[in-house]
Amino acid sequence: CQPTLQKKLIGSMRTAMTVRARIWVSKAGGLSFMDVIEEAVGKVRLLRLSGRFDHATVQEFEGRLLPRLDDCHDGGEDSVAVVLDLSEVEYMSSVGLRVLTLAAKKCKPQNGVIAVAALGEQMREIFHISRFDMIFAVYDDRASAVAALTGAGT
């Protein structure tokens, strides 16, 4: 699939850019997909993930996520905070969780901020059991994450 680029005006104060990339991967018994939709809200990069993050899609997931963290650092005009919206994730295997660990490890030495938002019940349980909730700041929804990371919630 070709990534498409959409621009849309949100309110009169900010512009969000959305980048969409849907990946369909053939596997035994059918197709597996993952979708990464990127939006910029001020200095926060929202990455909305949907679909399945397993052996069939993990390489593509890693290839799309990690480069988007290069400017996830503290300070400077080009720095951004990253929020992973997991509300539409159907399934994430251990290889998907490994990519999230790599993402956190990439941001930490740069003093960058990476957070997750909108965990479903199953993902919330996985984060709790695996202690990922100690690695990532976890927010109930995207709006709360953006507010906290832009200082609008204070």
Coordinates of all heavy atoms in Angstrom, one line a residue, residues 58-91:
V58 N 5.9 -7.3 12.6 CA 6.9 -6.6 13.5 C 8.0 -5.9 12.8 O 8.4 -4.8 13.2 CB 7.4 -7.6 14.6 CG1 8.4 -8.6 14.0 CG2 8.0 -6.8 15.8
Q59 N 8.5 -6.4 11.8 CA 9.6 -5.7 11.0 C 9.1 -4.4 10.5 O 9.8 -3.4 10.6 CB 10.1 -6.6 9.9 CG 11.2 -7.6 10.3 CD 11.8 -8.2 9.1 OE1 11.2 -8.7 8.2 NE2 13.2 -8.3 9.1
E60 N 8.0 -4.4 9.9 CA 7.4 -3.1 9.4 C 7.1 -2.2 10.5 O 7.4 -1.0 10.4 CB 6.1 -3.4 8.6 CG 5.6 -2.2 7.8 CD 6.5 -1.8 6.7 OE1 7.2 -2.6 6.1 OE2 6.6 -0.6 6.4
F61 N 6.6 -2.6 11.6 CA 6.3 -1.8 12.8 C 7.6 -1.2 13.3 O 7.7 0.1 13.5 CB 5.7 -2.7 13.9 CG 5.4 -2.0 15.2 CD1 4.9 -0.7 15.3 CD2 5.7 -2.6 16.4 CE1 4.7 -0.1 16.5 CE2 5.5 -2.0 17.6 CZ 5.0 -0.7 17.7
E62 N 8.6 -2.0 13.5 CA 9.9 -1.4 14.0 C 10.5 -0.4 13.0 O 11.0 0.7 13.4 CB 10.9 -2.6 14.2 CG 12.2 -2.2 14.7 CD 13.1 -3.3 15.1 OE1 12.7 -4.5 15.1 OE2 14.3 -3.1 15.2
G63 N 10.4 -0.7 11.7 CA 10.9 0.2 10.7 C 10.2 1.5 10.6 O 10.7 2.6 10.2
R64 N 8.9 1.5 11.0 CA 8.1 2.7 11.0 C 8.2 3.5 12.3 O 8.1 4.7 12.3 CB 6.7 2.4 10.6 CG 6.5 2.0 9.2 CD 5.1 1.9 8.8 NE 5.0 1.4 7.4 CZ 5.1 2.2 6.4 NH1 5.4 3.5 6.5 NH2 5.1 1.7 5.2
L65 N 8.3 2.8 13.4 CA 8.3 3.5 14.7 C 9.7 4.1 15.0 O 9.8 5.3 15.4 CB 7.9 2.5 15.8 CG 8.0 3.1 17.2 CD1 7.0 4.2 17.4 CD2 7.7 2.0 18.2
L66 N 10.8 3.3 15.0 CA 12.0 3.8 15.5 C 12.6 5.1 14.8 O 13.1 6.0 15.5 CB 13.1 2.7 15.5 CG 12.7 1.5 16.4 CD1 13.8 0.5 16.4 CD2 12.4 2.0 17.9
P67 N 12.5 5.2 13.5 CA 12.9 6.5 12.9 C 12.1 7.7 13.3 O 12.6 8.8 13.3 CB 12.7 6.2 11.4 CG 12.7 4.8 11.2 CD 12.1 4.2 12.5
R68 N 10.9 7.5 13.8 CA 10.1 8.6 14.2 C 10.5 9.1 15.6 O 9.9 10.0 16.1 CB 8.6 8.3 14.2 CG 8.1 8.2 12.8 CD 6.7 7.8 12.7 NE 6.1 8.0 11.4 CZ 6.3 7.1 10.4 NH1 7.1 6.1 10.5 NH2 5.8 7.4 9.2
L69 N 11.5 8.5 16.2 CA 11.9 8.8 17.6 C 13.3 9.6 17.5 O 13.8 10.0 18.6 CB 12.1 7.6 18.4 CG 10.8 6.7 18.5 CD1 11.1 5.5 19.3 CD2 9.7 7.5 19.2
D70 N 13.8 9.8 16.4 CA 15.1 10.5 16.3 C 15.0 11.9 16.9 O 16.0 12.4 17.5 CB 15.5 10.7 14.8 CG 15.9 9.3 14.2 OD1 16.2 8.4 15.0 OD2 15.9 9.2 13.0
D71 N 13.9 12.6 16.8 CA 13.8 13.9 17.4 C 13.1 13.9 18.8 O 12.6 14.9 19.3 CB 13.2 14.9 16.5 CG 11.8 14.4 15.9 OD1 11.4 13.3 16.3 OD2 11.2 15.2 15.1
C72 N 13.0 12.7 19.4 CA 12.3 12.6 20.7 C 13.4 12.8 21.7 O 14.0 11.9 22.2 CB 11.7 11.2 20.8 SG 11.0 10.9 22.4
H73 N 13.7 14.1 22.0 CA 14.8 14.4 23.0 C 14.4 15.7 23.7 O 13.4 16.4 23.3 CB 16.1 14.6 22.3 CG 16.2 15.6 21.2 ND1 16.3 16.9 21.3 CD2 16.1 15.4 19.8 CE1 16.3 17.5 20.2 NE2 16.2 16.6 19.2
D74 N 15.1 16.0 24.7 CA 14.7 17.1 25.6 C 15.5 18.4 25.1 O 16.7 18.3 24.9 CB 15.1 16.8 27.0 CG 14.7 17.9 28.0 OD1 13.8 18.7 27.6 OD2 15.3 18.0 29.1
G75 N 14.7 19.4 24.8 CA 15.3 20.7 24.4 C 15.5 20.9 22.9 O 15.4 19.9 22.2
G76 N 15.7 22.1 22.6 CA 15.9 22.4 21.2 C 14.6 22.6 20.4 O 13.5 22.1 20.8
E77 N 14.6 23.3 19.3 CA 13.5 23.6 18.5 C 12.9 22.4 17.8 O 11.7 22.4 17.6 CB 13.8 24.7 17.4 CG 14.1 26.1 18.0 CD 12.8 26.6 18.6 OE1 11.7 26.6 18.0 OE2 12.9 27.2 19.8
D78 N 13.7 21.4 17.6 CA 13.2 20.3 16.8 C 12.8 19.1 17.7 O 12.5 18.0 17.2 CB 14.3 19.8 15.9 CG 15.6 19.3 16.6 OD1 15.8 19.7 17.7 OD2 16.4 18.6 15.9
S79 N 12.8 19.3 19.0 CA 12.4 18.2 19.9 C 10.9 18.0 20.0 O 10.1 19.0 19.9 CB 13.0 18.4 21.3 OG 12.3 19.6 21.9
V80 N 10.5 16.8 20.1 CA 9.1 16.4 20.2 C 8.9 15.4 21.3 O 9.8 14.6 21.6 CB 8.5 15.9 18.9 CG1 8.5 16.9 17.8 CG2 9.1 14.6 18.5
A81 N 7.7 15.3 21.9 CA 7.3 14.2 22.7 C 6.5 13.2 21.9 O 5.8 13.7 20.9 CB 6.5 14.7 23.9
V82 N 6.5 12.0 22.2 CA 5.8 11.0 21.4 C 4.7 10.3 22.2 O 5.0 9.9 23.4 CB 6.8 9.9 20.8 CG1 6.0 8.8 20.1 CG2 7.8 10.6 19.9
V83 N 3.5 10.2 21.7 CA 2.4 9.4 22.3 C 2.0 8.3 21.4 O 1.7 8.5 20.3 CB 1.2 10.3 22.6 CG1 0.1 9.5 23.2 CG2 1.6 11.5 23.6
L84 N 2.0 7.1 22.0 CA 1.5 5.9 21.2 C 0.1 5.7 21.7 O -0.1 5.3 22.8 CB 2.4 4.7 21.5 CG 3.9 4.9 21.2 CD1 4.6 3.6 21.7 CD2 4.1 5.1 19.7
D85 N -0.9 5.9 20.8 CA -2.3 5.6 21.0 C -2.5 4.1 20.7 O -2.5 3.7 19.5 CB -3.1 6.5 20.2 CG -4.6 6.3 20.3 OD1 -5.0 5.3 21.0 OD2 -5.4 7.1 19.8
L86 N -2.8 3.3 21.7 CA -3.0 1.9 21.5 C -4.4 1.5 21.6 O -4.7 0.3 21.7 CB -2.2 1.1 22.6 CG -0.7 1.4 22.7 CD1 0.0 0.6 23.7 CD2 0.0 1.2 21.3
S87 N -5.4 2.4 21.4 CA -6.8 2.1 21.5 C -7.3 1.1 20.5 O -8.3 0.4 20.7 CB -7.6 3.4 21.5 OG -7.4 4.0 20.3
E88 N -6.7 1.0 19.3 CA -7.1 0.2 18.3 C -6.2 -1.1 18.0 O -6.3 -1.7 17.0 CB -7.3 1.0 17.0 CG -8.3 2.1 17.1 CD -8.5 2.9 15.9 OE1 -8.0 2.5 14.8 OE2 -9.0 4.0 16.0
V89 N -5.4 -1.3 19.0 CA -4.5 -2.5 18.9 C -5.3 -3.7 19.2 O -5.9 -3.9 20.3 CB -3.3 -2.4 19.8 CG1 -2.5 -3.7 19.8 CG2 -2.4 -1.2 19.3
E90 N -5.4 -4.7 18.3 CA -6.2 -5.9 18.5 C -5.3 -6.9 19.2 O -5.9 -7.7 20.1 CB -6.6 -6.5 17.1 CG -7.6 -5.7 16.4 CD -7.8 -6.2 15.0 OE1 -7.5 -7.4 14.7 OE2 -8.3 -5.5 14.1
Y91 N -4.0 -7.0 18.9 CA -3.2 -8.0 19.5 C -1.7 -7.5 19.5 O -1.3 -6.9 18.5 CB -3.3 -9.3 18.7 CG -2.4 -10.4 19.2 CD1 -2.6 -11.1 20.4 CD2 -1.2 -10.7 18.4 CE1 -1.7 -12.1 20.8 CE2 -0.4 -11.7 18.8 CZ -0.6 -12.4 20.0 OH 0.3 -13.3 20.4

